[in-house]
């Protein structure tokens, strides 16, 4: 494991007042996300089988989705579905959080232990899953309406998709509108989910406390959280533009790093 205190940008004592029913929130410096990524790489090397199995599952699922949408002549949903994957990613990565948790405890992660993690505090994890799925459905609905607004009722075929979206007269207003609405939804989801799913896995708490803690974390660490959100988007986008093959590395890196983000920023309960 990486000695996280050996990097510049150490964890600091809590700076902000939080309600008594929330755990203590720590503040970190701007470069702390790089420490989480370094720790994530160490976790991947310590448990490569589980880490790359999750990555491979993400690649296969993405390719199946692409084939399915193409078969149904719904290629225009490829971009919103790709973006939507980032919204539900924290739920998908529960097994990666568990792997990092076990490594932190000095235990050997196994597939059986990782799968069993979904049953720990299962009702509350399912609750945050419902919230994330509703956000995904809301984004798909908004994306569909935006697409219909700019491209009428005739979605382009797959071989025309890139040209119509990126090189047509509607390109700039379409991308700007999609970015604004997508950014609003992504920011809201990031705020409630950045540490809530790892917290529900780690503690016997409820989904509302976890989401409130996540929001408090973002409020106390605005700049580091902006940097972390940008890095997540960068890694996942890079994984997707490689024909989804890059997700084999991007997903486990982000998943393991998210666990270390949670452990850095959320202290013990009061």
């Amino acid at each position: 494991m990486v000695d996280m205190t050996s990097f510049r940008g150490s964890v600091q004592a809590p700076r902000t007042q939080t309600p008594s029913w929330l755990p203590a929130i720590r503040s970190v410096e701007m470069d702390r996300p790089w420490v989480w990524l370094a720790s994530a790489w160490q976790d991947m090397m310590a448990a490569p089988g589980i880490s790359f199995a999750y990555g491979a599952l993400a690649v296969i699922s993405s390719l199946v989705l692409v084939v399915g949408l193409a078969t149904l002549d719904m290629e225009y949903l490829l971009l919103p579905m790709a973006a939507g994957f980032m919204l539900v990613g924290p739920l998908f990565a529960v097994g990666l959080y568990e792997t990092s948790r076990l490594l932190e405890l000095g235990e050997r992660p196994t597939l059986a232990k990782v799968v069993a993690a979904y049953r720990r505090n299962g009702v509350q994890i399912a609750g945050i899953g419902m919230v994330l799925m509703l956000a995904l459905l809301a984004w798909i609905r908004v994306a569909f309406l935006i697409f219909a607004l700019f491209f009428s009722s005739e979605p382009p075929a797959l071989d025309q998709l890139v040209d119509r979206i990126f090189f047509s007269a509607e390109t700039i207003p379409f991308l700007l509108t999609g970015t604004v609405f997508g950014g609003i939804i992504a920011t809201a989801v990031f705020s409630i989910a950045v540490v809530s799913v790892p917290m529900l896995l780690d503690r016997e708490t409820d989904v509302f406390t976890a989401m409130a803690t996540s929001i408090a974390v973002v409020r106390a660490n605005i700049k580091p959280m902006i940097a972390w959100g940008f890095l997540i988007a960068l890694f996942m986008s890079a994984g997707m533009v490689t024909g989804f093959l890059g997700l084999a590395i991007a997903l486990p890196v982000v998943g393991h790093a998210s666990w270390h983000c949670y452990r850095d920023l959320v202290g013990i309960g009061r």
Side-chain angles (χ1 to χ4, degrees):
M1 296 290 293
V2 172
D3 179 6
M4 299 177 73
T5 61
S6 65
F7 291 80
R8 191 175 72 83
S10 59
V11 180
Q12 303 172 10
R15 292 179 177 175
T16 58
Q17 296 294 324
T18 57
S20 60
W21 49 279
L22 293 181
I25 303 300
R26 303 188 185 102
S27 297
V28 297
E29 294 183 9
M30 187 71 177
D31 57 355
R32 197 63 180 176
W34 295 107
V35 180
W36 306 333
L37 291 171
S39 297
W41 187 256
Q42 292 291 320
D43 288 353
M44 285 183 64
M45 296 301 99
I50 294 174
S51 298
F52 288 109
Y54 262 81
L57 182 60
V59 173
I60 294 170
S61 300
S62 299
L63 294 176
V64 169
L65 178 62
V66 170
V67 173
L69 291 176
T71 302
L72 297 173
D73 293 325
M74 300 175 67
E75 299 90 345
Y76 54 91
L77 288 179
L78 285 175
L79 287 179
M81 289 296 289
F85 177 77
M86 299 186 195
L87 301 181
V88 297
L91 188 66
F92 185 83
V94 166
L96 295 169
Y97 307 150
E98 177 67 0
T99 300
S100 291
R101 188 187 77 86
L102 292 171
L103 290 171
E104 186 178 285
L105 294 173
E107 300 182 22
R108 178 176 173 272
T110 64
L111 185 59
K113 291 179 181 179
V114 167
V115 172
Y118 286 90
R119 297 196 296 268
R120 186 186 313 132
N121 206 9
V123 173
Q124 301 303 325
I125 292 177
I128 191 67
M130 289 285 291
V131 173
L132 296 178
M133 287 302 300
L134 288 173
L136 174 61
L137 292 175
W139 162 240
I140 292 175
R141 181 60 177 171
V142 169
F144 183 83
L145 291 174
I146 294 173
F147 198 96
L149 176 65
F150 286 95
F151 296 98
S152 187
S153 59
E154 299 180 0
L158 183 60
D159 59 348
Q160 301 175 346
L161 189 63
V162 173
D163 287 337
R164 286 290 303 277
I165 290 179
F166 295 102
F167 301 104
S168 66
E170 302 94 338
T171 294
I172 294 179
F174 169 72
L175 293 178
L176 285 176
T177 304
T179 299
V180 169
F181 282 94
I184 292 172
I185 295 174
T187 300
V189 171
F190 179 82
S191 297
I192 66 173
V194 64
V195 300
S196 59
V197 182
M199 182 175 173
L200 289 171
L201 176 69
D202 189 44
R203 310 179 187 211
E204 288 292 334
T205 189
D206 63 88
V207 64
F208 300 106
T209 300
M211 290 193 297
T213 301
S214 190
I215 293 171
V217 161
V218 173
R219 290 181 60 188
N221 296 274
I222 293 292
K223 291 182 179 179
M225 288 295 96
I226 291 175
W228 180 226
F230 174 79
L231 287 172
I232 291 175
L234 179 64
F235 272 72
M236 298 304 291
S237 297
M240 292 176 185
V241 299
T242 56
F244 300 104
L245 296 179
L247 289 176
I249 295 178
L251 180 72
V253 166
V254 171
H256 288 305
S258 295
W259 170 261
H260 293 286
C261 168
Y262 155 70
R263 294 290 287 152
D264 245 9
L265 295 175
V266 182
I268 60 174
R270 293 178 176 174

